[in-house]
Amino acid sequence: MSDSPTPDDGAGAPRRVTVERDGHLLLIGLDRPEKRNAADLAMLQQLALAYGELDRDPEVRVGVVFAHGDHFTGGLDLGDIAPRVGPEGLAMVPEGGLDPWGVQGPRVRKPVVLAVQGTCLTLGIELALASDVVVAASDTSFAQLEVARAILPFGGATLRFPAVAGWSSAMRWMLTGDRFDAVEAARLGIVTEIVEPGEQLARAVELAHRISVQAPLAVQATLENARLAVAQGPDAAAARLQGELVRLMRTEDARIGMEAFLRRETPRFTGR
């Protein structure tokens, strides 16, 4: 977690997040490399707006989140964030945005593939836990060190870390604030794949493209049902399966998929 203060940026908020299209992908980049991509309020709000765009745009099927520079994130910029925490907590989701960590309000409905490298602290781990596929450079260093700054993880680690890694493993890292490497992150279930440094974004984009050519409504339904199973248990998710199957079978994509299967062609799904 960065302890560096944020200078006065003047009246206009500085650009902290880049957003660009790559076919059906929305590439979202943390862009404060001179501060190891430490998150000030401007970054949090711009990231939330990017997630809102990902969720709403019918042409976008998958999000890819990465960071410019050598580090994914040094965590929170406490010098900027601490004074902004009011009686109700931290307001970081502007109108039109979605909480990237899925704690304040609904989660983004489309898959997110994350690429991390260098330092990945606190909210970076929590963003990985809130994402669906995570590619890490082999030199990535992780730490959930909020307790060393007299706060607690408020981006979902207390909810998701124990569910993914098991109680004892999660507590070992959350209660000590110690650092761990990419191999341990993969063992804990935070990281999906480890690649050579510098290859993480290309691999994340490759996987995102693989997802994007599948039927979008089916991808979103699969994601939603799996999340429901985690949040409310397998019975709640099972109760929705048949209804979701019927709904999807009535879509244009189901017809396209069947015709492509019979003709032994590659389907081109429309998302309808």
Side-chain angles (χ1 to χ4, degrees):
M1 184 176 295
S2 173
D3 291 325
S4 303
T6 300
D8 183 2
D9 294 301
R15 189 187 75 173
R16 297 288 193 239
V17 173
T18 62
V19 179
E20 60 181 312
R21 305 295 181 93
D22 180 3
H24 290 299
L25 310 187
L26 191 68
L27 275 58
I28 302 169
L30 308 184
D31 193 18
R32 199 188 184 198
E34 73 282 1
K35 291 288 188 178
R36 295 190 306 164
N37 290 311
D40 58 3
L41 185 62
M43 179 182 285
L44 295 177
Q45 291 182 335
Q46 291 170 31
L47 189 59
L49 289 172
Y51 269 65
E53 181 178 346
L54 168 62
D55 191 72
R56 288 189 305 273
D57 192 325
E59 294 301 314
V60 173
R61 300 180 180 180
V62 186
V64 177
V65 179
F66 68 102
H68 297 276
D70 295 331
H71 301 281
F72 185 71
T73 181
L76 283 174
D77 182 340
L78 285 176
D80 180 79
I81 295 296
R84 303 178 187 272
V85 178
E88 303 300 322
L90 178 67
M92 51 162 276
V93 182
E95 184 177 353
L98 278 180
D99 179 5
W101 291 269
V103 176
Q104 300 179 31
R107 297 180 68 176
V108 64
R109 293 171 293 178
K110 298 171 186 176
V112 173
V113 181
L114 199 70
V116 301
Q117 79 278 357
T119 298
C120 182
L121 304 184
T122 61
L123 58 84
I125 296 175
E126 292 176 305
L127 196 58
L129 289 166
S131 300
D132 305 297
V133 179
V134 180
V135 180
S138 59
D139 62 353
T140 311
S141 175
F142 300 83
Q144 197 77 62
L145 50 73
E146 285 88 347
V147 293
R149 301 294 184 264
I151 60 174
L152 85 168
F154 61 93
T158 55
L159 313 176
R160 301 186 183 114
F161 205 156
V164 167
W167 181 268
S168 182
S169 291
M171 291 304 123
R172 185 262 179 269
W173 299 111
M174 285 201 296
L175 299 183
T176 63
D178 289 345
R179 291 196 178 227
F180 54 95
D181 61 16
V183 173
E184 177 67 1
R187 186 191 74 81
L188 293 168
I190 298 170
V191 165
T192 312
E193 288 189 18
I194 301 173
V195 298
E196 291 298 313
E199 298 179 3
Q200 65 279 352
L201 179 55
R203 179 56 175 159
V205 168
E206 179 185 3
L207 290 170
H209 276 303
R210 287 286 301 126
I211 296 169
S212 75
V213 299
Q214 313 308 319
L217 298 178
V219 167
Q220 292 169 35
T222 299
L223 185 62
E224 181 183 15
N225 197 262
R227 287 176 175 173
L228 182 63
V230 171
Q232 298 184 25
D235 289 345
R240 295 278 299 277
L241 289 174
Q242 294 301 319
E244 286 293 276
L245 175 62
V246 170
R247 179 180 69 84
L248 291 171
M249 288 295 292
R250 294 171 176 166
T251 64
E252 180 180 328
D253 277 349
R255 178 186 59 79
I256 292 171
M258 181 59 68
E259 290 177 356
F261 171 75
L262 294 174
R263 296 173 182 171
R264 297 185 179 180
E265 298 175 346
T266 300
R268 293 180 177 272
F269 295 114
T270 65
R272 296 189 292 272

